[in-house]
């Protein structure tokens, strides 16, 4: 990571895995990543992603945390552009890793259908710089301001239960955050 002087406060970049050697393109993108001076990098090595994230959040320093998954690549300016948005929770557009390469973004949970309807390309704004409010996003690149993390009940990340469905830790986090009034 390259520390640069900028107007953004420092925070913590979290990689919830201990096997960074798995994905060379991720490592290369992380080395090029530009971060505010004073930003910390933390990784955890427990057996589950949710436990890893919670451990890293407990040790986080600064005004925000940015969760990056080791199976995605990020442009060097991604974090700085997310910080410029000035919102409590934001994520870059990330795509599923297998065809069809749809956005990892969802509408509100639909209890009748017991699913999170996925957004399609046609649902997104035509302006690539526009923000798009969604019901939930996948975890890759999820930027969360520290006041959100301090306000939510612990554990923050966990496999959630919406009977009879289990939700991944990232979708469950989004549900908890929205239930608490965050967008």
């Amino acid at each position: 990571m390259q520390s640069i002087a900028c107007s953004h406060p420092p925070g913590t970049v979290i990689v919830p895995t201990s096997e960074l050697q798995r994905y060379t393109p991720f490592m290369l993108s992380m080395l090029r990543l530009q971060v505010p001076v004073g930003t910390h990098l933390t990784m955890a090595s427990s057996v589950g992603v949710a436990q890893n994230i919670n451990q890293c959040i407990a040790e986080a320093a600064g005004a925000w945390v940015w969760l990056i998954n080791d199976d995605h690549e990020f442009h060097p300016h991604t974090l700085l552009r997310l910080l410029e948005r000035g919102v409590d929770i934001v994520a870059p557009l990330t795509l599923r890793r297998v065809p069809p390469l749809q956005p990892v973004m969802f509408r509100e949970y639909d209890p009748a259908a017991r699913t999170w309807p996925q957004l399609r390309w046609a649902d997104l704004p035509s302006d690539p710089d526009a923000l798009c409010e969604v019901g939930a996003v996948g975890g890759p690149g999820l930027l969360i301001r520290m006041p959100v993390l301090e306000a939510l009940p612990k554990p923050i990340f966990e496999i959630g239960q919406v009977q009879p469905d289990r939700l991944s830790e990232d979708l469950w986090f989004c549900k908890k955050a929205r239930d608490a009034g965050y967008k």
Side-chain angles (χ1 to χ4, degrees), residues 40-103:
H40 301 272
L41 171 65
T42 185
M43 294 175 245
S45 58
S46 71
V47 294
V49 173
Q51 296 93 328
N52 287 350
I53 296 171
N54 288 325
Q55 178 184 336
C56 291
I57 287 173
E59 300 167 1
W64 47 265
V65 298
W66 190 41
L67 306 175
I68 56 175
N69 292 2
D70 66 353
D71 56 355
H72 285 75
E73 296 177 54
F74 298 95
H75 185 277
H77 302 287
T78 301
L79 174 60
L80 299 179
R81 293 194 68 206
L82 293 174
L83 288 168
E84 288 170 1
R85 299 307 185 136
V87 295
D88 292 322
I89 304 169
V90 65
L93 174 64
T94 55
L95 307 178
R96 292 195 177 273
R97 293 181 306 245
V98 295
L101 302 176
Q102 293 296 320

Side-chain angles (χ1 to χ4, degrees), residues 83-178:
L83 288 168
E84 288 170 1
R85 299 307 185 136
V87 295
D88 292 322
I89 304 169
V90 65
L93 174 64
T94 55
L95 307 178
R96 292 195 177 273
R97 293 181 306 245
V98 295
L101 302 176
Q102 293 296 320
V104 185
M105 305 167 108
F106 306 89
R107 292 185 173 84
E108 284 295 320
Y109 181 76
D110 180 352
R114 296 188 353 231
T115 187
W116 290 80
Q118 186 168 359
L119 269 74
R120 300 167 312 208
W121 287 105
D123 300 324
L124 300 176
S126 58
D127 178 357
D129 291 322
L131 286 177
C132 175
E133 185 174 348
V134 298
V137 296
L142 186 59
L143 176 72
I144 310 163
R145 304 286 175 162
M146 203 56 81
V148 175
L149 298 171
E150 293 165 351
L152 293 179
K154 311 300 186 263
I156 296 170
F157 283 82
E158 60 187 325
I159 300 299
Q161 204 63 42
V162 175
Q163 296 293 344
D165 304 312
R166 289 173 50 86
L167 301 178
S168 64
E169 71 281 340
D170 44 9
L171 297 184
W172 186 247
F173 165 79
C174 291
K175 181 180 181 336
K176 287 170 66 172
R178 291 193 60 89

Side-chain angles (χ1 to χ4, degrees), residues 1-3 13 15 20 23-35 41 66-80 92 94 140-141:
M1 295 187 321
Q2 302 174 23
S3 294
V13 174
V15 182
L20 293 178
Y23 301 106
T24 302
F26 165 78
M27 281 302 300
L28 293 173
S29 77
M30 194 170 86
L31 290 171
R32 292 189 292 261
L33 186 65
Q34 294 183 352
V35 300
L41 171 65
W66 190 41
L67 306 175
I68 56 175
N69 292 2
D70 66 353
D71 56 355
H72 285 75
E73 296 177 54
F74 298 95
H75 185 277
H77 302 287
T78 301
L79 174 60
L80 299 179
T94 55

